[in-house]
Coordinates of all heavy atoms in Angstrom, one line a residue:
I149 N 11.8 -32.8 -1.3 CA 11.0 -31.6 -1.3 C 11.3 -30.8 -2.5 O 12.5 -30.6 -2.9 CB 11.4 -30.8 0.0 CG1 11.2 -31.7 1.3 CG2 10.7 -29.5 0.1 CD1 11.7 -31.1 2.5
P150 N 10.3 -30.3 -3.3 CA 8.9 -30.3 -3.0 C 8.3 -31.6 -3.1 O 8.8 -32.5 -3.8 CB 8.4 -29.3 -4.0 CG 9.3 -29.3 -5.2 CD 10.7 -29.7 -4.5
D151 N 7.1 -31.7 -2.5 CA 6.3 -33.0 -2.6 C 5.7 -33.2 -3.9 O 5.9 -32.4 -4.8 CB 5.3 -33.1 -1.4 CG 4.2 -32.1 -1.5 OD1 4.0 -31.4 -2.6 OD2 3.5 -31.9 -0.5
G154 N 4.1 -30.3 -5.5 CA 4.9 -29.1 -5.7 C 5.0 -28.2 -4.5 O 5.6 -27.1 -4.6
R155 N 4.6 -28.6 -3.3 CA 4.7 -27.8 -2.2 C 6.0 -28.0 -1.5 O 6.5 -29.1 -1.3 CB 3.5 -28.2 -1.2 CG 2.2 -27.7 -1.6 CD 1.1 -28.0 -0.6 NE 0.0 -28.6 -1.3 CZ -0.6 -29.7 -1.0 NH1 -0.2 -30.4 0.0 NH2 -1.6 -30.1 -1.7
L156 N 6.5 -26.9 -1.0 CA 7.8 -26.9 -0.2 C 7.4 -26.9 1.3 O 6.3 -26.5 1.7 CB 8.6 -25.6 -0.4 CG 9.1 -25.4 -1.8 CD1 9.7 -24.0 -1.9 CD2 10.1 -26.4 -2.2
S157 N 8.3 -27.5 2.1 CA 8.1 -27.4 3.5 C 8.2 -26.0 4.0 O 9.1 -25.3 3.6 CB 9.1 -28.3 4.2 OG 9.2 -28.0 5.6
P158 N 7.3 -25.5 4.8 CA 7.4 -24.1 5.3 C 8.6 -23.9 6.1 O 9.0 -22.8 6.3 CB 6.1 -24.0 6.2 CG 5.6 -25.3 6.5 CD 6.1 -26.2 5.4
Y159 N 9.3 -25.0 6.5 CA 10.5 -24.8 7.4 C 11.7 -25.4 6.6 O 12.7 -25.7 7.3 CB 10.3 -25.5 8.7 CG 9.0 -25.0 9.4 CD1 7.9 -25.8 9.5 CD2 8.9 -23.7 9.8 CE1 6.8 -25.3 10.1 CE2 7.8 -23.2 10.4 CZ 6.7 -24.0 10.6 OH 5.6 -23.6 11.1
L160 N 11.7 -25.4 5.3 CA 12.8 -26.0 4.5 C 14.1 -25.3 4.8 O 15.1 -25.9 5.0 CB 12.4 -25.9 3.0 CG 13.5 -26.4 2.1 CD1 13.8 -27.9 2.4 CD2 13.0 -26.3 0.6

Side-chain angles (χ1 to χ4, degrees):
I149 301 172
D151 65 14
R155 288 185 224 127
L156 296 173
S157 164
Y159 306 111
L160 180 59

